Amino acid sequence: MNFTEMKKSTRVGVSGKNIRCPHCGNVTRVYHLSWCALQCQGCDKMVDKYEFEIETKVAAKRTKVNLKRSEWQCYLDTPDEVIEKVNKFFTYVLPKCDTPVLAQRIMYEHLDRYVQWGFLDSECCQVATDTINKYFKSNINRWQCLNEAVIRG
């Protein structure tokens, strides 16, 4: 979550927003701003409304995934429409995910629909993971989401 200073023009919307205490960093969700101060639930200090920091939405990175057949390393007879569908879904998923592991898990579940075209082969999984790592500037391996699923049991 990213936070910025509270202003008079700040609004929370119907679903509310998180605020962060400047003293202890405790995060609390509020659904309106018709108050002048709140007692922090973390440190019990009274904090003026404009001392709190409020959650801001980070503009989603707009990265269009447009990998070619040779880059995906899928089967030669894979229809172009299948490759387009996979690229389109990948473009949609990346900005929706908070972590690279979540993106990888969702992509693997989606690629399972196209297993007959080789999209769950190790090469395609590596291409998906490399694309995720590039997007998130991370360094997960192609088994990361599977490892975490086993650990959670």
Side-chain angles (χ1 to χ4, degrees):
M1 283 186 273
N2 289 332
F3 291 87
T4 187
E5 66 182 47
M6 183 96 63
K7 298 177 184 168
K8 285 187 177 190
S9 60
T10 302
R11 302 289 179 259
V12 294
V14 176
S15 58
K17 284 194 179 178
N18 290 318
I19 57 172
R20 182 170 57 190
C21 175
H23 303 289
C24 70
N26 184 59
V27 175
T28 304
R29 190 153 198 91
V30 295
Y31 295 91
H32 65 83
L33 297 173
S34 55
W35 43 269
C36 58
L38 287 178
Q39 184 172 4
C40 174
Q41 296 173 353
C43 63
D44 291 329
K45 291 183 181 179
M46 284 301 290
V47 182
D48 181 67
K49 175 168 43 178
Y50 297 108
E51 290 180 26
F52 279 103
E53 294 177 314
I54 191 156
E55 177 183 16
T56 58
K57 289 197 175 199
V58 178
K61 301 175 196 172
R62 294 288 175 187
T63 301
K64 184 172 182 179
V65 177
N66 197 18
L67 297 171
K68 296 173 179 50
R69 177 187 324 277
S70 60
E71 293 171 297
W72 269 116
Q73 299 180 28
C74 56
Y75 299 156
L76 293 176
D77 61 344
T78 303
D80 290 338
E81 309 87 63
V82 170
I83 296 168
E84 289 173 23
K85 284 181 184 178
V86 171
N87 284 337
K88 187 175 183 179
F89 186 78
F90 215 163
T91 299
Y92 170 77
V93 163
L94 286 174
K96 301 283 185 197
C97 294
D98 296 329
T99 67
V101 176
L102 177 61
Q104 186 183 49
R105 184 178 58 76
I106 291 170
M107 276 310 299
Y108 282 11
E109 288 172 4
H110 186 72
L111 292 177
D112 187 46
R113 298 175 183 174
Y114 304 103
V115 70
Q116 72 270 25
W117 305 111
F119 274 101
L120 262 187
D121 290 357
S122 61
E123 294 88 355
C124 290
C125 289
Q126 186 62 52
V127 170
T129 301
D130 291 344
T131 304
I132 291 166
N133 280 333
K134 183 177 177 183
Y135 180 83
F136 284 98
K137 296 180 176 77
S138 59
N139 193 26
I140 63 171
N141 64 49
R142 73 171 178 237
W143 301 282
Q144 194 74 39
C145 70
L146 303 174
N147 291 342
E148 291 193 11
V150 169
I151 291 170
R152 282 189 219 131

